[in-house]
Amino acid sequence: MSQSMIGTKNMVVSPHYLASAAGCRILQKGGNAFDAAVAVSACLAVVYPHMTGIGGDSFWLFYSRKDQAVRAYNGSGRSGYNATPEKYEGLPAIPYRGIQSVITVPGMVDSWDAIIKEYGRLSLAEVLEPAIEYAENGFPFSKDQYVNTQKNVQILREFPETSSIFLPHHRIPSINEKFIQKQLADTLKELANKGRDHFYKGSLTKRIVSSLREKGGILIEDDFADHHGDWVEPLSGTYRGYTMYQVPPNSQGFAGLMALNILENFDFKTIPHGSFQYYHLLTESLKKSFQDRNKVLTDPEFYQIPLDKLLSKTYAKKLAESISLTNASEVKTQPVGNDTAHAAVVDEEGNAVSFIQSLYFEFGSCVVAGDTGILMQNRGSFFSLDRSHVNCLAPRKRTFHTLMPAMAFKDGKPHILYGTQGGEGQPQTQTAIITRMIDYRMSPAEAIYEPRFVWGRTWGEETEELKMEGRISKEVIESMIKAGHLVKVVEPIDKIMGHANAILIDEQSFLHGGVDPRGDGAAIGW
């Protein structure tokens, strides 16, 4: 197990060591946490291109020491003006690959601009320098990209523009082979020189839309021109005396708060970590929150989500009382994509940023927009075609979003920044990490390393399995099966659990950073 890295002034954590290094480079250059976070975000879009990119979305949670305020930015895109269920007449669902899955405008570039303008010290051009350098000159092909390319090689070959980038010379690059993205480098240079509007209202927009339309896509220039992200009020709750923050819907963040509200009704002092009771209670509490989430989560501009009820301690107590301490409940859910990238930054002034971004599935839609090098997300494929469904497809609508960066405050100040890759697994892994850190006083590295679980369906599976890492004791596994959980034991340290990161700020203001051994990340502090 890796040890938490400790910094006295700054800390950067991300799922790729080069992205963490990019954030540190910007801090050393005189940037603050907000500048560094955008640099990390852009760098992840280059060095983890199977997980995230400028054709995708992002959600941000901030603490500004100057303002002593917590804010959030919703960097997710809306569906196009022409996005209606009629466009998919005769299909049981929206395809999750190909041009028909390209329904929403990417929101990430807008979020970079908004954050830099609101809080940054440096220019967008300056914070994009590391990303441009890695795209233009290359970087070592990561093990994670290799595994995911191998997994998706057949679908990638169906898209010539995409395979020419991600399967250079018609093959999967070797681990640590230099990987270059010249077209993406040129696009990032254009953004550095011309700014946000070049992506949404400029000649780059025309090139993106023209390519998508030639392929049969529905997005038009007005969809991009009318895009805007939103500064939003974070959701908050309490857990064991800590104040917990999540981004609001269309994010699933409230499901994480609901699970903690339920768990607060149980005395973890009497529950050994890693025991049957621990895994059973976490799983059952999360199932309860998922049942409500699946009924109501969508764009809040289209549906009034009853958050006051869902986040009330009274409601949580009722849900807790409905949990059997010995038997698993039967709950159905729908499969979601699980490929995202979370990162966090804290600077010496005390500014803190927790953020997450995604293309949704690995390689998103698998559609590259012409010669731009931009891989388009398939987030819109999660819309329902059922007109009675709360998340039914409609024009200019944001879909149910899994992305949920988190923070925990103690005595009015940031104490823990945390998050993870993993779609349906995000609230599950977050709940495991935060209970380990708060209830069992683990360091970030310990909390992340300890055996994890993920419940739910992935694409192609007909049942809701509870996947549990093979390091969990045989006795606990047997008890979970006896209780009625449909357990599948996976690898001792399994990538399906996602790549988590966390930063803890202690009473001395030292910064403890932890990253996931399941990924390629690094915690860098000084």
Side-chain angles (χ1 to χ4, degrees):
M1 181 191 75
S2 61
Q3 296 294 314
S4 293
M5 300 299 294
I6 302 176
T8 59
K9 291 186 177 181
N10 305 281
M11 180 61 67
V12 182
V13 295
S14 88
H16 197 292
Y17 62 94
L18 290 178
S20 298
C24 290
R25 174 172 157 184
I26 294 301
L27 289 169
Q28 290 173 329
K29 192 175 182 177
N32 58 22
F34 308 102
D35 298 309
V38 173
V40 172
S41 173
C43 201
L44 284 170
V46 173
V47 301
Y48 248 30
H50 55 298
M51 294 287 177
T52 181
I54 64 176
D57 287 343
S58 57
F59 283 80
W60 305 74
L61 196 56
F62 311 93
Y63 173 75
S64 164
R65 181 65 181 273
K66 179 182 176 182
D67 300 336
Q68 294 192 11
V70 185
R71 295 180 75 189
Y73 195 82
N74 184 332
S76 67
R78 298 167 181 83
S79 57
Y81 283 108
N82 296 321
T84 64
E86 287 77 17
K87 293 285 184 183
Y88 301 89
E89 202 70 51
L91 296 176
I94 298 170
Y96 55 90
R97 298 290 197 186
I99 194 63
Q100 287 183 301
S101 69
V102 183
I103 299 171
T104 58
V105 175
M108 195 157 72
V109 171
D110 164 83
S111 72
W112 294 346
D113 178 76
I115 292 156
I116 292 295
K117 285 179 177 174
E118 186 79 2
Y119 291 115
R121 287 185 190 148
L122 305 180
S123 67
L124 182 62
E126 288 174 300
V127 299
L128 290 183
E129 283 177 5
I132 292 169
E133 184 178 312
Y134 287 129
E136 186 166 42
N137 299 324
F139 58 90
F141 198 76
S142 70
K143 182 178 179 181
D144 199 75
Q145 187 173 348
Y146 177 84
V147 169
N148 280 282
T149 304
Q150 196 172 46
K151 175 183 171 184
N152 292 282
V153 66
Q154 294 306 321
I155 188 74
L156 289 171
R157 284 176 175 151
E158 294 178 20
F159 299 89
E161 291 168 331
T162 310
S163 62
S164 68
I165 297 170
F166 297 103
L167 298 171
H169 311 296
H170 308 288
R171 65 179 183 86
I172 302 173
S174 303
I175 296 172
N176 292 331
E177 182 179 333
K178 183 182 284 189
F179 184 68
I180 294 172
Q181 298 170 87
K182 284 286 189 184
Q183 293 175 332
L184 182 59
D186 291 342
T187 294
L188 288 168
K189 286 179 186 177
E190 290 177 28
L191 292 174
N193 292 329
K194 300 180 181 180
R196 172 214 183 269
D197 283 355
H198 184 54
F199 189 91
Y200 295 99
K201 298 178 181 179
S203 59
L204 178 59
T205 320
K206 295 181 186 298
R207 286 161 56 205
I208 294 170
V209 170
S210 175
S211 172
L212 298 179
R213 298 291 284 177
E214 285 174 7
K215 295 176 174 68
I218 63 171
L219 292 178
I220 59 175
E221 288 181 33
D222 283 348
D223 296 327
F224 282 75
D226 293 344
H227 171 77
H228 61 87
D230 295 290
W231 291 101
V232 291
E233 188 73 22
L235 298 179
S236 64
T238 59
Y239 180 71
R240 317 277 195 212
Y242 293 79
T243 302
M244 317 303 294
Y245 288 98
Q246 293 276 359
V247 294
N250 55 314
S251 163
Q252 68 168 335
F254 70 90
L257 296 178
M258 285 183 69
L260 293 177
N261 279 345
I262 296 168
L263 289 169
E264 202 170 34
N265 289 278
F266 300 95
D267 184 5
F268 276 38
K269 292 176 182 176
T270 66
I271 300 172
H273 179 263
S275 64
F276 160 75
Q277 296 98 317
Y278 176 77
Y279 287 112
H280 176 73
L281 279 177
L282 262 64
T283 302
E284 292 302 301
S285 297
L286 286 153
K287 285 182 187 177
K288 295 291 182 185
S289 69
F290 288 166
Q291 281 184 297
D292 283 319
R293 179 204 64 182
N294 291 348
K295 292 174 186 174
V296 302
L297 183 53
T298 190
D299 187 336
E301 293 185 10
F302 285 73
Y303 178 79
Q304 189 170 351
I305 300 170
L307 290 173
D308 288 344
K309 173 197 170 184
L310 296 176
L311 296 178
S312 74
K313 298 291 188 181
T314 302
Y315 185 60
K317 190 172 188 298
K318 289 180 180 178
L319 293 177
E321 289 170 349
S322 72
I323 292 175
S324 167
L325 300 181
T326 56
N327 295 308
S329 59
E330 289 190 19
V331 175
K332 297 293 182 184
T333 191
Q334 62 187 112
V336 299
N338 66 352
D339 295 290
T340 55
H342 170 268
V345 183
V346 178
D347 66 23
E348 62 183 312
E349 294 175 20
N351 299 307
V353 186
S354 178
F355 68 96
I356 191 164
Q357 57 195 60
S358 176
L359 291 170
Y360 192 37
F361 279 46
E362 313 102 357
F363 299 99
S365 64
C366 290
V367 174
V368 168
D371 63 356
T372 66
I374 299 171
L375 189 56
M376 302 297 293
Q377 67 182 351
N378 65 329
R379 181 63 62 172
S381 66
F382 197 68
F383 278 116
S384 173
L385 295 179
D386 179 351
R387 288 167 176 78
S388 65
H389 195 285
V390 68
N391 197 47
C392 181
L393 178 63
R396 300 295 292 164
K397 186 176 182 179
R398 284 168 161 153
T399 186
F400 172 130
H401 232 294
T402 53
L403 302 187
M404 49 180 290
M407 288 189 191
F409 275 50
K410 185 179 182 182
D411 300 325
K413 296 180 180 179
H415 181 55
I416 302 170
L417 288 72
Y418 62 110
T420 182
Q421 171 208 42
E424 186 94 318
Q426 286 184 48
Q428 302 182 59
T429 295
Q430 281 195 11
T431 302
I433 289 171
I434 203 64
T435 54
R436 288 167 177 172
M437 293 182 70
I438 291 177
D439 291 291
Y440 300 99
R441 304 299 178 191
M442 293 186 190
S443 71
E446 289 173 317
I448 290 167
Y449 175 79
E450 282 293 304
R452 295 216 294 267
F453 66 92
V454 63
W455 173 85
R457 292 168 58 194
T458 53
W459 289 102
E461 293 181 349
E462 298 299 321
T463 56
E464 281 78 12
E465 290 181 335
L466 178 62
K467 297 177 179 68
M468 304 187 78
E469 287 189 316
R471 290 176 291 146
I472 297 171
S473 75
K474 183 180 178 181
E475 292 75 21
V476 169
I477 296 290
E478 289 175 349
S479 295
M480 294 293 281
I481 293 170
K482 185 178 178 182
H485 295 282
L486 187 62
V487 175
K488 178 181 180 180
V489 179
V490 295
E491 294 296 317
I493 299 179
D494 202 299
K495 287 182 175 290
I496 201 165
M497 300 298 157
H499 306 158
N501 306 290
I503 298 173
L504 180 145
I505 306 167
D506 70 17
E507 64 278 356
Q508 303 178 86
S509 298
F510 288 170
L511 305 161
H512 303 250
V515 295
D516 210 310
R518 300 162 185 85
D520 301 290
I524 305 177
W526 69 93

